[in-house]
Amino acid sequence: MISTKGRYALRMVIDFARQGEEACVPLREVAERQGISVKYLEQLASLLIQADILRSVRGPHGGYVLIRPPEETNVGDILRAAEGSCAPVACLEADFGICPRRSECETFSFWEGLDKVIEAYVDGVTVADLVPAR
Amino acid sequence: MISTKGRYALRMVIDFARQGEEACVPLREVAERQGISVKYLEQLASLLIQADILRSVRGPHGGYVLIRPPEETNVGDILRAAEGSCAPVACLEADFGICPRRSECETFSFWEGLDKVIEAYVDGVTVADLVPAR
DNA sequence: CTTATATCCTAGTTATTTACTAGGATATAA
DNA sequence: TTATATCCTAGTAAATAACTAGGATATAAG
């Protein structure tokens, strides 16, 4: 299940996109509009910087800027950055290693299939699709 | 994310199906084959009984029996019975109520769409699809 | 150079959930 | 009567979730 990390990160990015291309938006404003604390948003923003989705500007009039236009950022990238993974089961995650029951497990391919439809969906939607037209 | 409840419940049902139609299988055997404790399986079995997927026979030579043939039980029913829900976000779950931000939330329809592709996938696979042919 | 405003970074904290285990009650075939 | 099952309720240790707290660092403006 997607936790507040992924959900808030997505709302934050959409909020940035709404303020216009290349806008430099401080978290204080996002926090107010979205009803999420600045401190929590800071942590999520840092994950999005690591994933090359945002860049930051420090000091007064500083804030965060989307690196790419909304059409070129898909939701899957945001969720994977915030959540670590969108995999529906632990055995599909990168750091899980190879399950010792893998060869005899009748369910593994089922979970792989579920993962595929999830990835296809989240990677098929861009931030631009979620920003309401003005 | 799907927890051990859903994953083990699915493996248990597939294990029942492998023992043949209408077979009455005690959890002791499933536990041994699957490497899961009887005590934990008991709890999962009771969820599957409530969902009309299994019925039980008490006493010696007792066990559990699949109510319908494997072709007629889909994986979605098993997962929803074990996990409570397959919804990817809390705001889509039945007991969450209506989110106060719902009307202004730009992400709600995105999550609804994700939920739809997940439900379509899990409801499109039956237990029979996962039982290896003998 | 000072001040206000931001981001940056690390820790700590509380509540919930997960993944079980434990102990017994109840039913029933032999 | 006994052995073998399911049934039912609690309890518990560990992990995760969802934050909060406190300060360090950078920088524009006066």
Side-chain angles (χ1 to χ4, degrees):
Chain A
M1 197 152 83
I2 307 293
S3 69
T4 55
K5 280 188 191 175
R7 300 204 312 272
Y8 292 179
L10 178 56
R11 282 167 56 192
M12 174 166 58
V13 170
I14 293 170
D15 192 288
F16 285 138
R18 283 191 84 165
Q19 311 316 311
E21 202 104 341
E22 313 249 348
C24 187
V25 185
L27 292 186
R28 175 180 41 80
E29 292 180 14
V30 179
E32 204 168 323
R33 279 190 295 264
Q34 299 293 329
I36 306 169
S37 82
V38 171
K39 285 296 189 182
Y40 198 34
L41 286 177
E42 282 179 353
Q43 296 179 8
L44 305 179
S46 113
L47 296 169
L48 297 178
I49 285 175
Q50 284 173 51
D52 283 316
I53 292 166
L54 294 181
R55 65 185 173 81
S56 67
V57 178
R58 300 176 80 161
H61 303 291
Y64 293 85
V65 187
L66 287 173
I67 287 183
R68 275 161 290 133
E71 302 78 37
E72 292 175 30
T73 301
N74 67 44
V75 177
D77 290 333
I78 296 166
L79 297 180
R80 280 184 294 267
E83 298 282 335
S85 158
C86 288
V89 290
C91 35
L92 284 174
E93 288 186 68
D95 59 351
F96 184 79
I98 293 168
C99 175
R101 289 192 85 80
R102 173 100 150 243
S103 61
E104 45 181 324
C105 184
E106 290 101 353
T107 61
F108 188 77
S109 65
F110 170 81
W111 299 120
E112 278 187 319
L114 177 56
D115 187 53
K116 268 193 186 174
V117 304
I118 292 172
E119 299 286 322
Y121 179 81
V122 298
D123 287 337
V125 178
T126 73
V127 173
D129 296 326
L130 302 180
V131 176
R134 283 186 274 187
Chain B
M1 197 153 80
I2 307 293
S3 70
T4 55
K5 279 189 192 174
R7 301 205 310 273
Y8 292 179
L10 178 56
R11 282 167 57 193
M12 174 166 59
V13 170
I14 294 170
D15 192 288
F16 285 139
R18 285 191 83 164
Q19 312 315 311
E21 201 102 341
E22 311 248 349
C24 188
V25 184
L27 292 186
R28 176 180 43 79
E29 293 180 13
V30 180
E32 203 169 322
R33 279 189 295 265
Q34 299 292 329
I36 305 167
S37 81
V38 171
K39 284 296 189 183
Y40 198 34
L41 287 177
E42 282 179 353
Q43 295 178 10
L44 306 179
S46 113
L47 296 170
L48 297 178
I49 285 175
Q50 284 174 52
D52 283 316
I53 292 167
L54 295 181
R55 64 184 176 83
S56 67
V57 179
R58 300 176 81 161
H61 303 291
Y64 294 85
V65 187
L66 287 173
I67 288 183
R68 275 161 291 134
E71 301 78 37
E72 292 175 29
T73 301
N74 67 43
V75 177
D77 290 332
I78 297 166
L79 296 180
R80 280 184 293 268
E83 298 282 333
S85 158
C86 289
V89 289
C91 34
L92 284 174
E93 287 185 68
D95 59 351
F96 183 79
I98 293 169
C99 174
R101 290 192 86 79
R102 174 100 151 244
S103 61
E104 43 180 326
C105 184
E106 290 102 352
T107 62
F108 187 77
S109 64
F110 170 81
W111 299 121
E112 278 186 320
L114 177 56
D115 187 52
K116 268 193 185 172
V117 304
I118 292 171
E119 299 286 322
Y121 179 80
V122 300
D123 287 337
V125 179
T126 73
V127 173
D129 297 326
L130 301 180
V131 176
R134 281 188 272 186

